Amino acid sequence: MKKKRLIPVLLLKNGWLVQSKGFKEFKNLGNPITAVKRLSKWASDELIYLDISRDDEYDLRRDDLNTPNRHSIFEILDDISKSTFMPITVGGKIKTIQDIHDRLSRGADKIATNTQALIDPSFITAGAKEFGAQCIVISIDAKLIDGKYRVMSHNGSVATDYDAAQWAHQAQELGAGEIFLNSIDNDGQKMGFQIPLVKSVSEAVKIPVIACGGAGEWSDFAEVFDETSADAVAAANVFQHVDQSVHLAKKYLYEHNYPVRPPELLGVEERL
Amino acid sequence: MTKPICILDYGSGNVRSVYNMMSLLSQDVVISNKPSDLQAASHLILPGVGAFGSSMEKIKEKIPLDLLEELVVTKKKPFLGICVGMQVLANKGYEFGEHEGLGWIPGETKHLEVNDLPLPHVGWNTVSVKKETPLLPETKEDIHFYFVHSYAFSPTDKKTITGITEYGESFCSMVQKDNIMGVQFHPEKSQQAGQILLKNFISL
């Protein structure tokens, strides 16, 4: 049986792992590669890696004198793909077919695109034709405005005319393989997911929906699976603060009979 | 000195991921299509992502197939096909038209029949080991692996099926005929389970 997924999200700003609140406040959490190694050990199902830098400066020098200075997301990707063996989605600054190619060839399995797909929806089709629908994840940042879930572009700063469910459906028709849905209102609030949003989007499409934004308790993940048909739950902040966080969240879901991979810390190794 | 493990190079997208994981398991791994490297190798791995027809075209163009066939079919070097690398073991594939495969294990690669479920089949799913295989230890529990595909290999001789997976229908997710093995999932993306499988393969 195919399983529901639990996905840590890593936000990268200028080469650093950061925490986000409402897409506005950011707190530096340190070296993204160390974080990836930690999350990889804890039986995450996939990783989503979002580059939210506003300029192209990457600098990991402060972390450790022994760590070489890295200048681009590609070198960071190189390191990640050597230390983690699960599907990796990379988003941020993807504007062309070449941008997709460059990320896939450095170890990413899928790319997430947001603003570029809104500016030029045919980019979705072009990407899916070239690399397969499973490679193209449409990232949607939604905000509740006048009772409607509006799709926001440019890192949540510009409101578009699209309703989230409507845009998700259109993206699916254009060839998207997956929807990564983020609630700007719930981001960093730790009050649970925006369930009506997740419900409306996951009912509007057949492709998998990854729900993100607002997880504070392990039971918040369970609520998504209870109330919506989302295929995966994702979170950033909550996984960075608690020791063995992904494992504990997985254990919670597994013990409450949700269809997830077993939570053993070392995967199958111990059982076999 | 040990003999190298050769990951066959024909421009497949996941070759780097396979190489990264193999490098954890062995100090001597090459990505190559040179006859001398194929000959020197202890084990051969055919990675794959993408469509059957275009993969077969690239395989024919880049890899010395007569030599590969001699090494695998006649000299019986351990061979592992991953994803499309397993699908092309068939005689024929039906993705975007009809295409000839390697034909090393009789059968056809066909579209999954999944009713209303979305395709491609992407995500973590379980493999039930149906027959003793050196790739996985015998276990009562199903083992989780990561899948990305819309087509699957259906072998003519059901005895070659070593593992099955459910997605709308039961399909063959592991196949083996003597030294020739194939897995539909991606061990290089399946964390420890994948690592164990690849370690078992190179221990042959």
Side-chain angles (χ1 to χ4, degrees):
Chain A
M1 181 191 182
K2 188 154 117 55
K3 297 300 188 289
K4 300 270 186 179
R5 296 166 290 161
L6 184 64
I7 307 176
V9 179
L10 293 120
L11 295 176
L12 185 76
K13 203 168 169 23
N14 303 334
W16 293 98
L17 184 69
V18 296
Q19 180 184 334
S20 149
K21 200 171 176 182
F23 279 41
K24 285 193 188 98
E25 299 164 42
F26 301 101
K27 189 176 148 197
N28 193 334
L29 296 174
N31 185 321
I33 291 149
T34 322
V36 163
K37 285 178 186 163
R38 206 172 65 222
L39 295 169
S40 179
K41 277 197 183 125
W42 295 343
S44 313
D45 294 314
E46 295 189 27
L47 288 177
I48 294 178
Y49 207 92
L50 296 181
D51 180 11
I52 55 168
S53 317
R54 299 299 165 98
D55 48 54
D56 285 322
E57 290 287 316
Y58 294 85
D59 189 353
L60 291 181
R61 274 173 299 187
R62 210 196 70 183
D63 184 59
D64 183 339
L65 290 174
N66 294 323
T67 306
N69 183 20
R70 288 173 185 78
H71 291 284
S72 76
I73 186 138
F74 302 113
E75 283 153 303
I76 292 168
L77 254 181
D78 279 346
D79 269 3
I80 291 170
S81 60
K82 276 177 202 152
S83 55
T84 182
F85 300 99
M86 63 179 125
I88 300 168
T89 301
V90 178
K93 297 193 162 42
I94 297 170
K95 294 189 170 64
T96 64
I97 291 292
Q98 186 64 38
D99 289 340
I100 301 178
H101 174 84
D102 292 346
R103 282 154 182 80
L104 297 179
S105 68
R106 299 299 269 269
D109 299 279
K110 318 177 198 178
I111 61 90
T113 169
N114 187 326
T115 302
Q116 186 60 33
L118 288 163
I119 294 170
D120 174 18
S122 75
F123 182 55
I124 301 173
T125 313
K129 269 197 179 146
E130 184 76 22
F131 306 103
Q134 83 287 345
C135 274
I136 310 299
V137 180
I138 297 304
S139 174
I140 298 178
D141 296 330
K143 194 178 168 72
L144 194 58
I145 300 172
D146 300 331
K148 274 194 169 179
Y149 291 110
R150 290 273 286 276
V151 177
M152 307 291 287
S153 69
H154 299 84
N155 290 325
S157 63
V158 180
T160 70
D161 292 334
Y162 286 111
D163 168 77
Q166 172 205 358
W167 172 233
H169 182 78
Q170 189 173 330
Q172 168 186 277
E173 299 306 302
L174 289 166
E178 214 164 353
I179 302 290
F180 175 54
L181 178 64
N182 217 315
S183 161
I184 295 175
D185 304 301
N186 292 39
D187 180 54
Q189 301 297 329
K190 301 179 189 167
M191 301 285 283
F193 288 81
Q194 185 71 245
I195 296 294
L197 168 68
V198 179
K199 204 168 151 55
S200 71
V201 171
S202 55
E203 278 169 8
V205 294
K206 220 175 142 181
I207 55 177
V209 172
I210 303 164
C212 191
E217 312 274 342
W218 308 145
S219 58
D220 293 338
F221 297 122
E223 192 188 8
V224 173
F225 294 141
D226 286 336
E227 303 294 329
T228 81
S229 54
D231 190 65
V233 285
N237 303 340
V238 72
F239 289 141
Q240 304 297 347
H241 294 306
V242 186
D243 195 27
Q244 302 196 353
S245 54
V246 182
H247 177 248
L248 292 173
K250 202 52 145 337
K251 192 161 175 261
Y252 177 92
L253 292 170
Y254 188 73
E255 284 174 355
H256 288 77
N257 296 318
Y258 290 91
V260 293
R261 280 199 305 152
E264 277 88 334
L265 203 51
L266 296 171
V268 295
E269 207 156 33
E270 287 177 324
R271 293 188 296 145
L272 297 178
Chain B
M1 207 187 108
T2 55
K3 285 183 178 178
I5 292 149
C6 180
I7 303 168
L8 295 161
D9 184 12
Y10 65 97
S12 163
N14 64 337
V15 65
R16 182 56 49 185
S17 305
V18 176
Y19 178 82
N20 284 341
M21 191 180 246
M22 292 310 300
S23 300
L24 284 188
L25 302 170
S26 166
Q27 307 227 313
D28 208 351
V29 185
V30 292
I31 303 173
S32 175
N33 51 22
K34 279 193 236 148
S36 56
D37 286 331
L38 268 63
Q39 258 157 345
S42 59
H43 296 73
L44 297 159
I45 298 176
L46 186 66
V49 276
F52 189 103
S54 62
S55 297
M56 259 322 282
E57 251 170 57
K58 283 188 259 173
I59 289 169
K60 278 187 210 156
E61 185 191 321
K62 306 268 185 187
I63 297 174
L65 267 188
D66 289 343
L67 173 65
L68 184 66
E69 189 157 323
E70 186 201 323
L71 294 172
V72 176
V73 179
T74 314
K75 296 192 172 158
K76 303 214 177 287
K77 251 184 213 198
F79 174 94
L80 178 67
I82 296 173
C83 193
V84 179
M86 163 184 180
Q87 296 178 2
V88 296
L89 293 172
N91 304 93
K92 272 180 189 170
Y94 293 95
E95 189 170 6
F96 300 117
E98 190 180 317
H99 307 275
E100 292 283 311
L102 297 170
W104 294 350
I105 301 181
E108 292 180 335
T109 291
K110 294 187 280 201
H111 200 255
L112 285 171
E113 299 291 339
V114 297
N115 298 320
D116 269 353
L117 295 171
L119 280 176
H121 169 221
V122 184
W124 292 88
N125 205 333
T126 45
V127 173
S128 313
V129 179
K130 283 293 149 203
K131 223 185 137 196
E132 202 180 317
T133 163
L135 294 183
L136 288 175
E138 271 188 68
T139 164
K140 280 180 205 156
E141 285 176 80
D142 293 346
I143 305 166
H144 289 80
F145 287 97
Y146 188 76
F147 289 81
V148 184
H149 65 121
S150 299
Y151 288 75
F153 180 25
S154 171
T156 314
D157 180 359
K158 301 300 171 205
K159 283 187 218 115
T160 59
I161 299 173
T162 50
I164 61 162
T165 296
E166 300 276 343
Y167 188 69
E169 62 169 334
S170 276
F171 66 88
C172 168
S173 50
M174 286 176 72
V175 71
Q176 179 170 4
K177 189 185 163 198
D178 305 322
N179 60 312
I180 305 169
M181 286 155 262
V183 292
Q184 178 55 62
F185 46 84
H186 289 274
E188 77 280 10
K189 288 287 168 185
S190 298
Q191 297 178 334
Q192 286 87 351
Q195 208 171 314
I196 288 166
L197 184 141
L198 291 172
K199 198 174 163 189
N200 288 337
F201 173 66
I202 61 171
S203 306
L204 287 172

